[in-house]
């Protein structure tokens, strides 16, 4: 049972990385030059190429640009902790959530290593206000966090107790 749960998480991580990197490759080819108008999809959604040298939402852009390898190391450490959690979980929703977060993080780590910045291209906006441009790795991370929250809301009776787990001491 535990191995099947892990497979769900690993599959989610692989899918997130592949979809993220494929869409970023498309964005780099189709949306050049960066920071132009891009493609209007909806009145509130554009595809517009940009690069994030900062941390989340471009915060600390100036100081983080010189610390690419520090950011990569920190993110790899977080991915390792999430992988450890994935390896121990018995809940499919939790495994899927962790897999999406891991895959999204790895997709952005690949960008930092290859380009020194994360490729972003989804521009949500309304009435002149723009949400920070993001990518599908970010979408995977947010969906993964949502799944973790949903998994945590399960009633305690629905979760396996330590005495219900075969092979583990009570």
């Amino acid at each position: 049972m535990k191995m099947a749960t892990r497979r769900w998480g690993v599959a989610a991580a692989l899918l997130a990385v592949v979809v993220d990197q494929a869409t970023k490759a498309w964005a780099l080819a189709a949306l050049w030059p960066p920071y132009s108008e891009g493609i209007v999809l909806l009145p509130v959604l554009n595809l517009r190429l940009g690069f994030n040298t900062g941390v989340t939402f471009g915060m600390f852009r100036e100081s983080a640009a010189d610390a690419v390898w520090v950011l990569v190391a920190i993110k790899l450490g977080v991915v390792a902790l999430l992988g450890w959690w994935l390896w121990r979980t018995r809940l499919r929703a939790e495994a899927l959530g962790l897999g999406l977060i891991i895959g999204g993080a790895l997709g952005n780590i690949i960008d930092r290593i290859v380009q020194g910045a994360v490729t972003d291209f989804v521009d949500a906006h309304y009435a002149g206000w723009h949400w920070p441009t993001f990518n599908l790795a970010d979408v995977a991370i947010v969906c993964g966090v949502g799944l973790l929250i949903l998994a945590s809301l399960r009633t305690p009776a629905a979760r396996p107790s330590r005495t219900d787990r075969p092979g583990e001491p009570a």
Side-chain angles (χ1 to χ4, degrees), residues 1-2 5 86 88-92 94 160 165-166 168:
M1 162 132 164
K2 199 171 189 179
T5 302
L86 171 62
R88 297 182 51 83
T89 189
R90 294 183 179 277
L91 303 173
R92 185 178 295 170
E94 197 172 80
R165 296 179 188 165
E168 288 189 17

Side-chain angles (χ1 to χ4, degrees), residues 55-146:
V55 190
T56 304
F57 303 126
M59 294 186 307
F60 313 114
R61 189 178 326 243
E62 291 78 25
S63 57
D66 296 329
V68 171
W69 293 108
V70 172
L71 288 173
V72 167
I74 291 169
K75 289 180 180 192
L76 285 172
V78 170
V79 166
L81 287 171
L82 293 172
W84 174 79
W85 183 2
L86 171 62
W87 216 249
R88 297 182 51 83
T89 189
R90 294 183 179 277
L91 303 173
R92 185 178 295 170
E94 197 172 80
L96 284 169
L98 290 165
L100 288 172
I101 295 168
I102 290 167
L106 289 173
N108 285 339
I109 289 169
I110 291 168
D111 283 9
R112 289 229 186 255
I113 291 170
V114 173
Q115 302 171 162
V118 175
T119 301
D120 290 324
F121 61 93
V122 181
D123 176 31
H125 57 89
Y126 179 74
W129 177 85
H130 287 259
W131 184 259
T133 307
F134 57 96
N135 57 51
L136 293 189
D138 301 329
V139 172
I141 292 168
V142 169
C143 290
V145 169

